[in-house]
Amino acid sequence: MDLSIVILNYQTFELTKNTVDSVLEYDYPFSYEIFIVDNASSDDSLARLQEYFGDKVKFIASKENNGFAAGNNQALRQATGRYQLLLNSDTIVWQNTLEDIYSYMESHTDVGASGCRVLLENEDLDMACKRSFPNVKNSFFRLFHIPTKSKGNDYNLTNLPDDGIYEIDCLTGAFMFIRKEALDDAGLLDETFFMYGEDIDLCYRIKKAGWKIIYYGESKITHLKGASSKKQKSKLLYEFYRAMYIYYKKHHANESSFIVNFSVYLGIALLCLLKLFLNIFKKS
């Protein structure tokens, strides 16, 4: 098998169906398999997907929802592809995207993972698709919206072209095309993260293992992300800031002073409380 595609479903029949259909719509010069992991949906989306796709897709039904990383890992442990694609259930894959990135990975054997240009529904760039690793300095610039021309201080790499091809630090988990050898070297997704942060952590480990990570901006997907102005579930907001804490503690705390660590943890806690408070007053 050349490519294993892993999609996590949680009560999103229509979105998941459209994502898989966007893959099945095209012919490819490589073999592939598709896994849908149902993360303990409480609706009938799993049964409807099984009826709709039949044996075109391999299904895994989780008994409980242990988060994004744990759900995807179930399929990654069974996947047989030389490459493995993490693909969000709220994405639409464009024509030639998989073929182009597959071809690029085949001809660049030092690349451990690649991503593509990710467009929001309004065709703006999803900034998460090309990033630097977060650190104290670039997080400060981002938090206070301070413009910078320094690549090292620009978390979202806004100074680099959206349609280019170049090495970066971090991809988005919405589309992560991974070489199996790189995943073997780095290990699976860290299940300590429930949601958010696991993509940054995996990219960090892939690069630490000596592989390159490439942003391939000539190919695209659409990501039907929820509007940021809408009211969010408190659980998701909490997990967003919890992921910051886990990532920093795992990769940076040992190399920083007590004062820096205390300041970072306090900042994360205060931001989390502020966002939870402001979220109460947002419209649903």
Side-chain angles (χ1 to χ4, degrees), residues 91-103:
T91 59
I92 300 296
V93 178
W94 289 37
Q95 187 173 10
N96 298 324
T97 292
L98 298 185
E99 183 175 345
D100 288 348
I101 294 184
Y102 175 86
S103 177

Side-chain angles (χ1 to χ4, degrees), residues 19-35:
T19 297
V20 177
D21 278 341
S22 75
V23 174
L24 295 175
E25 184 177 352
Y26 309 111
D27 295 322
Y28 304 100
F30 52 79
S31 58
Y32 69 97
E33 59 185 355
I34 300 175
F35 287 89

Side-chain angles (χ1 to χ4, degrees), residues 47-193:
R48 293 172 69 192
L49 288 166
Q50 288 173 323
E51 180 181 2
Y52 183 83
F53 289 113
D55 59 5
K56 294 178 182 178
V57 171
K58 299 178 180 181
F59 289 92
I60 299 174
S62 301
K63 294 182 179 179
E64 54 185 316
N65 183 357
N66 290 317
F68 182 87
N72 279 289
N73 280 347
Q74 291 182 80
L76 291 174
R77 292 187 182 100
Q78 296 184 27
T80 60
R82 296 186 299 113
Y83 299 100
Q84 303 184 355
L85 172 63
L86 300 181
L87 184 65
N88 264 26
S89 62
D90 57 353
T91 59
I92 300 296
V93 178
W94 289 37
Q95 187 173 10
N96 298 324
T97 292
L98 298 185
E99 183 175 345
D100 288 348
I101 294 184
Y102 175 86
S103 177
Y104 184 87
M105 295 286 283
E106 285 283 272
S107 60
H108 295 79
T109 57
D110 58 344
V111 176
S114 291
C116 65
R117 191 182 344 168
V118 180
L119 300 176
L120 301 174
E121 196 168 7
N122 63 3
E123 298 192 356
D124 286 345
L125 185 74
D126 183 347
M127 305 289 278
C129 69
K130 57 181 181 79
R131 296 175 283 177
S132 298
F133 289 129
N135 56 50
V136 174
K137 195 171 183 181
N138 65 23
S139 297
F140 178 84
F141 277 86
R142 181 170 180 245
L143 174 63
F144 292 101
H145 304 284
I146 300 172
T148 175
K149 294 182 180 180
S150 168
K151 180 181 177 182
N153 297 331
D154 188 0
Y155 174 70
N156 289 124
L157 301 178
T158 53
N159 57 320
L160 297 178
D162 295 344
D163 58 354
I165 300 173
Y166 41 81
E167 185 175 356
I168 60 170
D169 284 339
C170 186
L171 306 167
T172 173
F175 184 101
M176 192 179 292
F177 201 109
I178 311 167
R179 191 182 302 273
K180 179 63 163 60
E181 293 99 317
L183 192 62
D184 289 341
D185 287 346
L188 297 177
L189 294 164
D190 184 345
E191 297 182 14
T192 310
F193 297 90

